[in-house]
């Protein structure tokens, strides 16, 4: 699989814009302890879910790994 990285930039920009909208529009919400010094808020999970869903829809051939929920799918090496 060969993907022109330049074609991914608009997708990344839209994903970042979506994340920014969520961060600006929601209060952090409940904080969950994920480890000794690792916390995540409801907004952290909401951002990752929205970005994961968008990126998966736009680039089904590329895998996704997120900070909060880890790997949800693998691609042919590109994540």
């Amino acid at each position: 699989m060969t993907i022109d990285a330049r074609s991914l930039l608009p997708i990344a920009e839209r994903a970042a814009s979506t994340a920014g909208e969520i961060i600006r529009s929601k209060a952090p919400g409940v904080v969950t302890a994920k480890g000794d010094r690792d916390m995540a808020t409801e907004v952290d999970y909401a951002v990752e879910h929205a970005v994961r869903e968008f990126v998966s829809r736009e680039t089904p051939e590329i895998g996704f790994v997120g900070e909060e929920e880890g790997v949800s799918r693998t691609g042919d090496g590109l994540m």
Side-chain angles (χ1 to χ4, degrees):
M1 164 179 56
T2 302
I3 296 176
D4 179 6
R6 291 173 293 192
S7 69
L8 299 176
L9 182 59
I11 296 167
E13 289 173 333
R14 289 194 337 242
S17 178
T18 296
E21 289 172 20
I22 294 169
I23 291 167
R24 285 188 300 275
S25 68
K26 293 187 175 200
V30 175
V31 177
T32 303
K34 296 182 352 176
D36 183 36
R37 296 182 191 165
D38 191 7
M39 308 294 232
T41 67
E42 288 178 356
V43 168
D44 293 325
Y45 285 106
V47 165
E48 183 170 317
H49 178 76
V51 169
R52 182 184 302 265
E53 186 176 283
F54 171 74
V55 171
S56 295
R57 188 173 55 248
E58 295 295 314
T59 59
E61 69 280 5
I62 298 175
F64 190 95
V65 61
E67 180 181 2
E68 310 308 340
E69 296 180 4
V71 175
S72 62
R73 63 189 168 85
T74 57
D76 290 335
L78 188 58
M79 293 190 87

